[in-house]
Amino acid sequence: MKTLMLIGYGAMAQEVIARLPSGITLRWVVARPHHHNAIQERFNGAVLPIDSLDDFNEHPDLVLECAGHQAVQQYAPTILQRGWTLAIISTGVLADATFENTLTTLAKRHQSQLIPLSGAVAGLDGLRAAKEANITHVIYQSRKSPTSWRNGAAERYIDLSSVSEATAFFSGSAREAALNFPANANVAATVALYGIGMDATQVQLIVDPDTTKNSHQIDVRGDFGHFSIELNGNPLPSNPKTSMLAALSAVEICRRIAEQQVS
C-alpha cells in the first residue's frame, strides 16, 4: 500500500479524498491548525494533521499539493531535499524563474521528483510532442463566469458586477498571467511548461456572464501543422475558481503512484 501526504484541506483536497483510488492510503495532511481537530475526528486518528515538516521523519510515497502558491513556496524545497516525490497543482508558482530553478536544482541533487500536474486542460501530450520540432506560437485562452473570477486579482482589472457580454480583461505572457492571477492562471503556466515557455506563450483571460463552464482553448502552430483544443469543464461546486478536471488530475496521479506508473 502506497502512502499519501496531502498539502491542503480545501475544496480540491476534499475531492481527492472522496475519490482516492485503491492502493494508496492517506496518512498525513499538512493543514492549518484550525483544521486539525476536524481531520482527527473525521479519520479517527488514522490520518495525522501536521503544519510543519521540521520534525517529520516518515517517507510518503507521494506528496500532493492542493493548497496554492504559498504552500508550494513553503514546503516544496524541504520535500525535494528529502528525496520525495512531489506533485503540484499550483503550477503557476513556477512562473517565478528563480524559484523554478531552485526546485529543479534540488530535485536533481537529491534524486527527488517534481511533477507539475496537467490540471484543468487536455492535449498536453500533443503540445509536448510538437516541441520536438519547431512551435511558432501557442495561444491559451481562459473563459470563466464572473463568479469564477470573483474575489481575486481579476477585480483589479474589470468590474465583474457590470459585465454584460464576454470581455477580455487581460492579454499578456503566461508568466505575467501566472504571477498576476495566482488563483486562476495555473493552466496558463502548465501550457507554458509543456510547450514553448512562460514568456513565449500568449494568454488571454475572459469573463463571460453567459457561461457556467470553465473553458480553456489552446491554439498551437508549428512545423508539425496546427491544432486547436477546447475544453469546457464544470467547476467544483464548492469552489467555482477550480475546474473539476483539475481535481481529477490530482486523483489520477494518486492512481499512477499506486500502480507505480509515474514518469
Side-chain angles (χ1 to χ4, degrees), residues 1-5 23-25 27-28 58-64 83-87 113 115 253 257-258 260 262:
M1 180 70 71
K2 302 294 184 180
T3 56
L4 171 66
M5 173 186 287
I24 190 166
T25 183
R27 291 279 305 279
W28 310 275
E58 305 286 344
H59 187 155
D61 293 298
L62 173 66
V63 182
L64 175 59
W84 301 349
T85 297
L86 170 64
Q113 191 170 9
I115 305 172
I253 188 61
I257 288 289
Q260 295 185 318
V262 172

Side-chain angles (χ1 to χ4, degrees), residues 161-175:
S161 61
S162 66
V163 174
S164 58
E165 60 184 11
T167 305
F169 61 89
F170 172 85
S171 294
S173 70
R175 190 180 305 279

